[in-house]
């Protein structure tokens, strides 16, 4: 079945540092890939997505590139802010059968001033 | 504004009780989903529905039940058979007719057994 593996957190960075959160996946066919963000006590918000190999999703300074050869979708941001502190989830949707999203375990990011 | 509303925000359940969590959307989305989130863990799929009057079990359906009588509504009942119901429950919806673009989430219901 489908699965998503994320790097464990928490990730603690100083403001303006470079961020990478690793995500790899296992799926058959050509899944769509997503990053969601969750702030304390809230639901998840879609951050970015990519639907085919070599696509780059981007939003609010965050980027991730769909790498089929390495089955990865790493999240990056060049300069983090305190307001980026949240939990980040990588997810995939299969292209056949069940379309419901499969989520990774989440990575907590803490940005210090 | 269109959105997805979960209620209540906090819910307390006594041992042996059934409780129902509400999820309503006015986005005209076709599909709706229920996930469970435990501390430090990812989201696990409980049930999902792609059309009215039809739903499928997810990965952890035991002890839960759902209905989808209207497109806008997808309530989740946590029954007394669910041995460890304390968790954060998230409802989501998605449009299907134009391809899959990801979910819109509600703000969640935190259920605690007392």
């Amino acid at each position: 079945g489908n699965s998503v593996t994320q790097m464990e957190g928490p990730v603690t960075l100083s403001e303006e540092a470079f961020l990478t959160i690793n995500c790899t996946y296992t799926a058959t066919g050509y899944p769509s890939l997503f990053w969601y963000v969750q702030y304390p006590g809230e639901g998840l918000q879609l951050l970015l997505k990519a639907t085919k190999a070599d696509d780059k999703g981007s939003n609010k300074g965050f980027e991730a590139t769909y790498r089929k050869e390495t089955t990865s979708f790493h999240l990056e941001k060049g300069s983090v802010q305190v307001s980026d502190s949240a939990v980040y989830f990588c997810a995939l949707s299969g292209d056949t059968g069940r379309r419901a999203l499969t989520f990774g375990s989440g990575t907590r990011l803490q940005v210090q001033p | 504004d269109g959105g997805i509303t979960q209620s209540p925000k906090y819910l307390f359940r006594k041992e042996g009780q059934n409780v129902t969590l509400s999820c309503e959307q006015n986005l005209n989305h076709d599909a709706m989903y229920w996930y469970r989130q435990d501390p430090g863990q990812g989201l696990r799929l409980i049930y999902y529905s792609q059309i009215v009057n039809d739903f499928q079990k997810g990965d952890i359906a035991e002890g839960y039940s759902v209905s989808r009588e209207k497109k806008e509504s997808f309530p989740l009942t946590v029954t007394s058979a669910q041995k460890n119901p304390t968790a954060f429950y998230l409802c989501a919806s998605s449009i299907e007719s134009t391809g899959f673009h990801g979910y819109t989430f509600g703000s969640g219901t935190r259920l605690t057994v007392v």
Side-chain angles (χ1 to χ4, degrees):
Chain A
N2 298 337
S3 67
V4 176
T5 302
Q6 289 182 235
M7 64 187 289
E8 289 193 16
V11 173
T12 303
L13 296 173
S14 298
E15 207 165 20
E16 299 184 2
F18 185 86
L19 168 71
T20 300
I21 299 178
N22 290 339
C23 171
T24 57
Y25 68 89
T26 300
T28 55
Y30 299 89
S32 296
L33 301 173
F34 304 82
W35 277 101
Y36 281 83
V37 59
Q38 184 180 35
Y39 298 100
E42 297 183 8
L44 280 66
Q45 301 172 25
L46 178 64
L47 183 58
L48 54 83
K49 66 180 181 183
T51 57
K52 60 183 187 296
D54 299 325
D55 267 2
K56 177 185 284 189
S58 61
N59 186 24
K60 300 180 181 179
F62 290 91
E63 293 182 339
T65 301
Y66 187 162
R67 301 284 189 201
K68 190 160 179 62
E69 63 276 14
T70 54
T71 61
S72 65
F73 192 55
H74 305 321
L75 183 67
E76 297 181 335
K77 186 175 186 183
S79 176
V80 293
Q81 305 300 312
V82 172
S83 57
D84 294 326
S85 298
V87 181
Y88 292 82
F89 290 92
C90 185
L92 72 82
S93 172
D95 63 344
T96 58
R98 193 174 90 175
R99 297 288 290 275
L101 288 176
T102 298
F103 287 85
S105 57
T107 302
R108 181 175 299 279
L109 170 65
Q110 297 173 329
V111 181
Q112 298 175 336
Chain B
D1 287 338
I4 182 166
T5 301
Q6 290 187 241
S7 62
K9 192 171 178 65
Y10 299 96
L11 186 58
F12 297 90
R13 191 195 92 168
K14 293 182 179 178
E15 295 278 356
Q17 273 187 339
N18 292 354
V19 291
T20 297
L21 284 60
S22 171
C23 179
E24 304 274 336
Q25 55 99 359
N26 60 2
L27 298 164
N28 199 32
H29 282 179
D30 308 294
M32 297 186 75
Y33 310 82
W34 275 105
Y35 284 84
R36 169 181 171 139
Q37 184 179 21
D38 293 284
Q41 297 189 32
L43 281 68
R44 292 182 291 168
L45 182 66
I46 305 172
Y47 269 98
Y48 65 105
S49 167
Q50 293 177 294
I51 57 172
V52 175
N53 292 324
D54 189 39
F55 49 83
Q56 287 78 43
K57 292 182 180 180
D59 301 318
I60 56 164
E62 185 175 352
Y64 300 97
S65 66
V66 293
S67 62
R68 186 86 186 277
E69 297 175 1
K70 299 186 300 182
K71 188 175 185 179
E72 301 81 16
S73 179
F74 192 42
L76 173 73
T77 297
V78 184
T79 74
S80 56
Q82 170 48 238
K83 292 182 174 29
N84 184 21
T86 294
F88 190 50
Y89 290 86
L90 286 161
C91 180
S93 66
S94 67
I95 196 163
E96 295 283 311
S97 57
T98 58
F100 184 72
H101 304 286
Y103 294 164
T104 299
F105 277 92
S107 57
T109 293
R110 188 167 299 280
L111 173 63
T112 304
V113 173
V114 296

